[in-house]
Amino acid sequence: MAEPLLRVEGLNAFYAGAHVLENVSFEMPDERPVAVIGRNGMGKTTLCAAIMNLTPPRATGSVRFHGEEILGRPSYKIARHGIGYVPQGRRLFPSLSVEEHLRMVSARNGRDGWTTDRVYELFPRLAERKRNGGAQLSGGEQQMLAIARALLLNPKLLIMDEPSEGLAPTIIEQLIETCRKLEQEGVAILLIEQNLGVATSLAERQLVMVAGSIALETTAEKLLGDPGAQRRFLGVEPVADT
């Protein structure tokens, strides 16, 4: 049998004496998107940091990408291996223009695939704003730039941490459409979200994280149809039909 795209087994992560992730295990068998959903403080961002080996968590267990162990490798080698990361909060350089952000990444990328021209086609608004600095962009434009920056590394898997955070509903709809286009391009997405609507719109497979563990593995249809699970795991009060 072919190795899954991503396999996480018995992943534990620690901040000093705090045990944040506890035996997290799941697989992405192919390029179909998967959502990890949960409330704030449940360990979702720590999961991203452990996979990408970003400080400060100390992690044990196993993370295999295309069958190759990557846990603990330097972050830049994980990125070069084919995993792109769109961090929570975008983390752009306020003084660098859109063009400079993209040129900085593309200068380090010698492979064929995503280019600045292609990301400008995907995000025409960035082409219009390419001389503007990171601090001069709207929240939606900043998210476009954070995604574009990750795409220039030609990832096979894109990990997106809370991409809808702080965005207006109309911009969130554009974000969802962009993610669907990336799926059609063959880019797998591991979506980290607390927005139930976004998570279930993008991924049929839902992993619900509670207190550092995967408490429930379900589908978007089942989760949307289970108000009790939404209240218990996500603190969501479903809106009654009118």
Side-chain angles (χ1 to χ4, degrees):
M1 294 180 65
E3 284 282 346
L5 179 68
L6 179 72
R7 174 181 285 158
V8 176
E9 291 184 301
L11 184 62
N12 291 270
F14 308 83
Y15 287 94
H19 193 172
V20 180
L21 295 182
E22 298 188 22
N23 293 314
V24 173
S25 298
F26 67 90
E27 291 184 1
M28 292 183 67
D30 50 36
E31 287 75 22
R32 285 175 291 185
V34 172
V36 178
I37 187 168
R39 290 175 287 182
N40 279 335
M42 294 295 106
K44 303 189 305 299
T45 294
T46 299
L47 174 63
C48 299
I51 292 173
M52 297 301 299
N53 194 24
L54 300 171
T55 55
R58 176 175 60 87
T60 63
S62 176
V63 177
R64 299 183 71 84
F65 183 61
H66 280 304
E68 188 171 339
E69 183 63 56
I70 62 170
L71 185 68
R73 284 190 178 184
S75 300
Y76 73 91
K77 290 188 176 181
I78 294 173
R80 287 179 179 174
H81 198 54
I83 301 181
Y85 180 46
V86 182
Q88 184 179 19
R90 291 82 173 180
R91 298 187 186 179
L92 305 176
F93 295 97
S95 62
L96 294 186
S97 69
V98 168
E99 183 79 5
E100 288 168 336
H101 274 92
L102 299 181
R103 192 185 309 140
M104 180 172 58
V105 180
S106 60
R108 290 165 170 76
N109 179 19
R111 294 175 292 175
D112 295 331
W114 286 94
T115 64
T116 53
D117 288 340
R118 281 192 70 193
V119 297
Y120 282 148
E121 289 175 8
L122 182 65
F123 299 116
R125 182 61 176 162
L126 290 184
E128 297 170 6
R129 304 275 279 167
K130 63 183 178 181
R131 291 184 176 83
N132 290 83
Q136 298 173 310
L137 305 178
S138 68
E141 291 165 348
Q142 289 180 4
Q143 190 60 265
M144 292 175 196
L145 181 54
I147 295 171
R149 179 179 59 185
L151 287 176
L152 285 175
L153 294 171
N154 290 317
K156 304 180 187 75
L157 170 65
L158 195 60
I159 300 176
M160 305 179 71
D161 190 6
E162 303 281 5
S164 71
E165 183 179 59
L167 301 185
T170 54
I171 304 301
I172 290 176
E173 287 300 317
Q174 295 175 20
L175 172 68
I176 291 171
E177 183 59 31
T178 295
C179 291
R180 288 173 177 158
K181 289 179 181 178
L182 293 177
E183 184 185 357
Q184 293 170 2
E185 293 272 358
V187 179
I189 294 176
L190 179 61
L191 179 70
I192 313 298
E193 262 294 348
Q194 62 173 315
N195 185 315
L196 178 64
V198 173
T200 54
S201 292
L202 284 175
E204 177 59 17
R205 187 159 164 240
Q206 303 285 313
L207 308 176
V208 182
M209 180 167 277
V210 177
S213 300
I214 303 298
L216 176 69
E217 181 170 346
T218 186
T219 65
E221 182 179 7
K222 288 180 179 178
L223 187 56
L224 287 172
D226 190 344
Q230 293 176 36
R231 282 191 292 266
R232 183 165 65 255
F233 296 120
L234 305 174
V236 173
E237 288 297 333
V239 179
D241 293 334
T242 57

